[in-house]
Amino acid sequence: MKLMNNTITLFIMLVILMIIIPLPAFMLDMMFIINITLSIIILLTTMYITESLQFSIFPSILLITTIFRLALNISSTRLILSNGGQAGAVIATFGDFVLQGKAVIGFIIFLIIVIIQFLVITKGTERVAEVSARFTLDAMPGKQMAIDADLNSGIITEQEARIRRHKIQKEADFYGAMDGATKFVKGDAIASIVITLINFIAGVVIGMVQGTGSFTDVLSTYTIATVGDGLVSQLPALLISTATGMVVTRAASESSLSVEISRQFLSQPMVLIISGIVLVLMCFIPGFPKPQILFLATILILLGVRLLRTQNTNKEIEESALQNENEKEEIVNDETYYRNIDNIYELIQVDPIEMEVGYSLIPLVDENSGGSFIDRIVMFRRQFAMEMGMVVPSVVLKDNGYLNPNEYLIKIKGEEIARGEILVDYFLALEPKNVTGSVDGIDTIEPAYGIPSKWITKDKKDLAEIYGYTVIDPLSVLVTHLSEIVKKHANELLSRQDINQLLTNVKKTNETIVDEVIPSLMSYGNLQKILGNLLKESIPIRDMETILETIGDYGVSVKDTEMLTEYVRQALKRTITRKWADGGQIKVITLSTDIEKLMITSVNKNDHGSYLTIDPDTIQKIVKSLLEQIQNLKEVISTPIILTSPFVRIYFKKLIDQFYPNATVLSFNEIDNSVQIQAIGNVEIK
């Protein structure tokens, strides 16, 4: 077994010894036969593989066989020049067979073979290998992004992604190696021409100097030896050069080259029939050999007619089967179909995210019609996962004939959340605060953010951008609206199955913390509530280890999920600070001391949790004061942030959500010490 593992090493050492040590004629014959056999095996292997990586050792094999041929050339040259042109039976047989007593014609044929090998096959293979290597390397980033997109969308697993990345790397390495290996083939062809000239010229000179015969005899002897030696080396070189071309031009397929050629050539019967007719017409050209032409034309026409009949028969069978299937579907009406209770369950299935579109918007979202909606959703899913630590579920697309042609509908868990209208052939121009000019268009409201806008034609796009409008294409309007809905309802989309996937991902690096928290301290349902509370206020849950460690620290004594959420928020203060700080500072609206004290004294607890008991008039005053502050500061801050004490934060958030949904309420313990807090407003009871 160890000897078999070292076969290649022993073979290389033998080749090196062949260059130094003279070989007897019988041993040289054996080596020539081995060389021809290897080249045949290599060529046949390249014809039966389905993709290049199945023969990934080919660059190394190419180098080994090239060195082997050169070593044989050196050994044969040594014998030819030192043994009066006698270098074994293989060389003599090849020389006599090609020359057939006509030295000049035989030598010309040999030169033609060498030129074809060098200029046609070797040169073409070298160029194809170079282009393949460059294109493969250029395509690597795009392939990597495609793998990442499939991985983020859940189409493939991490293991499958790892296998694909490894395959891409192997392809790049293979074609890079082939680019260099083809230079060996080129150098081998040049060396063969030089060695042939040396054998011929030096042999004739040595023969004449040694006086082994007349000039005619010497010329005949060394011509036979030279041509024979050249053919013995060029025949394997030609086969391996052809194999090289096969490898670098082989596209990935499911079958061998022979099967693919047969399948693709015979897939168009009319081509064979027309080709046969053209051959028949060639019989009218004076001097053309009619029997050969008619024989080949007959074969092509008969083969084409037979294939055409076979295709028509298969087509009729498929159409008949399809018709029978349609008839069966028509026979099975709704009443019969829903007699099976299992089929009724299909009616009550609810998709997490669903989008229904009117018929005019179908080309915008349908991949078969050229729409790139799915690709945009995949990129959004990837971005959202990186930002928020949650994987967005698949979006189910449906056409709805009851909607207006330009209308679309977004549903979360089967219920309508939002709808809008899009003009496919127009662009949406968002109006800036200070418009420098006006463009004609259809007035509307941007669906995601409620910004006054206009639908404008394509020819007004450049003018609108000059005037300061932000111009968006229809697909971006649709994707933006959907993405904002998903962000707003992320806490509803987070399922227990998602929790299980997140915990499985954490186990890969920190299995201990998962085992400590789940299920001994907390159930999947309570963890889902905590993560949902974070997502509801746009807090990323990507740092799952910190979240679990915080729950592990406080979960023993604290069972209230809302209070545990507050502790987790404080542990994620760097994440929260990064999200809302700007330029090393954060501008906030604070609560007066009176409001803080009032809320602390108004907290009541029962078995179901804690709540505030503040009279409606006081609540109205607090809300009115807050809304006034927000209105006065809307030119200073785009997103109002209310800053409270840690104990008050959760209660004030619940209070204000009834009047100002999605308000950002932070506590002092949730802001990192490195950030400067700038209070630009204060809420007071007036």
Side-chain angles (χ1 to χ4, degrees):
M1 188 66 182
K2 291 183 178 179
L3 182 62
M4 292 297 296
N5 293 337
N6 296 305
T7 301
I8 299 300
T9 304
L10 296 174
F11 183 75
I12 296 296
M13 296 303 299
L14 178 62
V15 170
I16 295 173
L17 291 175
M18 286 170 52
I19 298 175
I20 302 172
I21 301 174
L23 293 179
F26 76 90
M27 181 63 73
L28 188 61
D29 288 342
M30 185 65 185
M31 291 298 175
F32 277 133
I33 294 172
I34 291 175
N35 188 26
I36 294 172
T37 304
L38 281 175
S39 62
I40 293 173
I41 292 173
I42 292 170
L43 176 61
L44 293 178
T45 301
T46 60
M47 295 179 68
Y48 279 90
I49 60 176
T50 57
E51 59 179 15
S52 301
L53 286 182
Q54 290 181 348
F55 201 14
S56 59
I57 62 171
F58 186 77
S60 300
I61 295 293
L62 191 61
L63 173 60
I64 293 171
T65 53
T66 301
I67 296 175
F68 185 38
R69 277 198 310 276
L70 293 176
L72 289 177
N73 282 140
I74 294 172
S75 297
S76 61
T77 300
R78 183 185 291 113
L79 275 179
I80 290 173
L81 298 181
S82 63
N83 201 23
Q86 302 301 317
V90 175
I91 290 179
T93 302
F94 267 89
D96 290 334
F97 178 76
V98 174
L99 294 179
Q100 295 182 354
K102 300 176 183 178
V104 177
I105 296 176
F107 198 78
I108 291 173
I109 292 174
F110 165 73
L111 288 178
I112 290 173
I113 293 174
V114 173
I115 291 172
I116 291 173
Q117 142 88 1
F118 177 66
L119 293 181
V120 180
I121 300 178
T122 304
K123 277 287 193 181
T125 301
E126 180 185 11
R127 178 58 179 164
V128 172
E130 180 184 349
V131 172
S132 298
R134 186 169 68 247
F135 282 5
T136 302
L137 292 173
D138 290 345
M140 277 188 68
K143 292 180 179 179
Q144 294 281 10
M145 289 182 64
I147 293 172
D148 292 339
D150 289 346
L151 178 62
N152 293 329
S153 62
I155 298 175
I156 60 175
T157 62
E158 180 66 33
Q159 180 67 20
E160 291 172 330
R162 191 178 297 110
I163 293 173
R164 289 191 186 182
R165 293 191 189 100
H166 181 63
K167 184 177 180 181
I168 291 174
Q169 186 61 48
K170 285 187 67 176
E171 282 183 352
D173 295 340
F174 175 79
Y175 284 106
M178 283 300 301
D179 186 22
T182 51
K183 305 297 189 298
F184 299 139
V185 181
K186 178 180 178 182
D188 177 47
I190 297 173
S192 297
I193 296 174
V194 174
I195 291 172
T196 300
L197 294 175
I198 291 174
N199 285 343
F200 180 71
I201 297 172
V204 172
V205 172
I206 292 174
M208 293 303 298
V209 171
Q210 292 179 351
T212 56
S214 64
F215 178 75
T216 304
D217 294 337
V218 171
L219 185 64
S220 176
T221 299
Y222 283 99
T223 301
I224 292 174
T226 300
V227 173
D229 180 41
L231 283 175
V232 170
S233 62
Q234 284 304 302
L235 178 60
L238 181 63
L239 294 177
I240 291 181
S241 296
T242 305
T244 306
M246 289 281 189
V247 170
V248 297
T249 58
R250 189 81 167 105
S253 62
E254 298 179 354
S255 307
S256 65
L257 181 63
S258 301
V259 175
E260 288 293 323
I261 290 176
S262 301
R263 180 187 301 160
Q264 296 182 24
F265 263 101
L266 300 180
S267 63
Q268 302 294 335
M270 287 303 300
V271 173
L272 301 179
I273 296 173
I274 295 172
S275 299
I277 295 173
V278 172
L279 283 178
V280 172
L281 295 177
M282 291 175 64
C283 291
F284 294 98
I285 301 175
F288 261 48
K290 295 180 177 59
Q292 295 91 325
I293 292 177
L294 291 175
F295 174 74
L296 184 58
T298 303
I299 292 177
L300 289 176
I301 292 174
L302 291 177
L303 181 60
V305 171
R306 181 177 178 182
L307 290 173
L308 190 61
R309 288 178 179 174
T310 303
Q311 284 189 355
N312 291 335
T313 302
N314 293 337
K315 186 176 181 181
E316 290 176 359
I317 293 174
E318 291 177 0
E319 290 178 352
S320 177
L322 182 61
Q323 183 177 0
N324 292 336
E325 185 177 347
N326 292 335
E327 289 176 356
K328 289 180 180 178
E329 290 179 356
E330 292 175 359
I331 293 173
V332 180
N333 53 26
D334 287 351
E335 289 79 5
T336 305
Y337 181 77
Y338 290 118
R339 284 179 183 176
N340 186 348
I341 297 178
D342 293 336
N343 295 333
I344 300 180
Y345 282 98
E346 298 177 2
L347 299 175
I348 62 176
Q349 183 177 354
V350 177
D351 297 307
I353 309 174
E354 186 179 340
M355 175 171 281
E356 298 179 0
V357 297
Y359 69 82
S360 294
L361 303 184
I362 292 177
L364 203 64
V365 299
D366 185 17
E367 283 186 311
N368 297 327
S369 303
S372 59
F373 177 79
I374 300 298
D375 294 334
R376 296 283 293 274
I377 292 300
V378 169
M379 295 307 297
F380 164 69
R381 181 181 289 114
R382 176 176 179 271
Q383 180 184 357
F384 190 77
M386 294 178 63
E387 290 181 357
M388 300 300 296
M390 172 186 166
V391 178
V392 177
S394 298
V395 179
V396 178
L397 293 173
K398 296 180 181 179
D399 60 318
N400 188 338
Y402 294 101
L403 292 175
N404 292 332
N406 298 321
E407 194 174 19
Y408 64 89
L409 187 68
I410 301 174
K411 292 182 177 180
I412 298 293
K413 295 186 176 181
E415 297 297 332
E416 178 183 342
I417 299 298
R419 66 171 60 204
E421 285 196 26
I422 288 179
L423 304 183
V424 178
D425 297 327
Y426 287 71
F427 285 85
L428 187 67
L430 308 182
E431 292 185 5
K433 294 180 179 179
N434 300 316
V435 181
T436 58
S438 179
V439 292
D440 294 332
I442 303 172
D443 292 330
T444 186
I445 299 295
E446 194 275 333
Y449 303 105
I451 302 174
S453 311
K454 290 183 178 181
W455 287 108
I456 61 173
T457 55
K458 186 176 181 180
D459 59 316
K460 297 184 177 65
K461 178 175 178 290
D462 294 336
L463 180 62
E465 290 177 344
I466 293 174
Y467 287 155
Y469 287 85
T470 300
V471 183
I472 307 173
D473 62 276
L475 181 58
S476 296
V477 175
L478 187 64
V479 173
T480 301
H481 194 187
L482 177 61
S483 63
E484 289 301 314
I485 294 297
V486 170
K487 291 176 183 178
K488 184 177 179 180
H489 298 272
N491 60 306
E492 300 178 41
L493 298 173
L494 185 69
S495 65
R496 281 177 169 80
Q497 180 63 31
D498 295 328
I499 301 296
N500 185 53
Q501 292 287 344
L502 292 173
L503 294 177
T504 302
N505 191 49
V506 175
K507 282 185 178 181
K508 296 176 182 178
T509 56
N510 194 345
E511 186 175 359
T512 304
I513 187 62
V514 177
D515 295 338
E516 178 187 345
V517 175
I518 305 294
S520 57
L521 292 181
M522 179 167 292
S523 65
Y524 280 88
N526 285 335
L527 180 59
Q528 181 186 13
K529 290 179 182 178
I530 293 175
L531 298 181
N533 291 337
L534 295 173
L535 290 172
K536 187 176 182 180
E537 297 192 49
S538 301
I539 306 296
I541 61 172
R542 188 175 180 182
D543 189 3
M544 280 296 297
E545 290 191 25
T546 299
I547 294 173
L548 293 174
E549 287 173 356
T550 306
I551 295 173
D553 293 338
Y554 296 96
V556 177
S557 57
V558 179
K559 300 301 179 182
D560 187 354
T561 55
E562 291 186 345
M563 293 306 300
L564 282 174
T565 303
E566 295 302 303
Y567 286 121
V568 171
R569 289 175 60 99
Q570 294 172 19
L572 296 175
K573 64 180 180 180
R574 281 193 297 269
T575 302
I576 294 175
T577 302
R578 174 185 55 80
K579 187 174 181 64
W580 277 286
D582 183 19
Q585 65 176 5
I586 182 169
K587 297 179 180 180
V588 300
I589 299 173
T590 59
L591 300 183
S592 66
T593 307
D594 294 339
I595 295 179
E596 292 259 359
K597 291 180 179 179
L598 174 64
M599 298 191 71
I600 292 173
T601 57
S602 301
V603 174
N604 286 328
K605 295 183 180 181
N606 56 23
D607 295 337
H608 302 289
S610 53
Y611 58 94
L612 288 177
T613 55
I614 302 178
D615 63 275
D617 291 337
T618 304
I619 293 175
Q620 188 67 31
K621 292 177 182 179
I622 294 174
V623 172
K624 182 179 179 182
S625 176
L626 175 62
L627 295 180
E628 287 177 356
Q629 291 292 327
I630 293 174
Q631 182 65 26
N632 295 336
L633 300 171
K634 66 178 182 179
E635 299 295 333
V636 180
I637 50 176
S638 57
T639 303
I641 299 173
I642 300 99
L643 188 65
T644 70
S645 62
F647 183 80
V648 171
R649 196 209 75 82
I650 185 173
Y651 302 108
F652 187 79
K653 172 64 177 173
K654 289 181 179 180
L655 173 66
I656 202 64
D657 267 350
Q658 304 173 46
F659 307 95
Y660 188 70
N662 303 318
T664 302
V665 181
L666 306 179
S667 74
F668 292 102
N669 290 356
E670 296 172 2
I671 299 178
D672 194 70
N673 296 331
S674 60
V675 175
Q676 179 184 1
I677 299 175
Q678 183 179 358
I680 57 175
N682 188 46
V683 179
E684 298 177 345
I685 301 177
K686 299 179 181 179

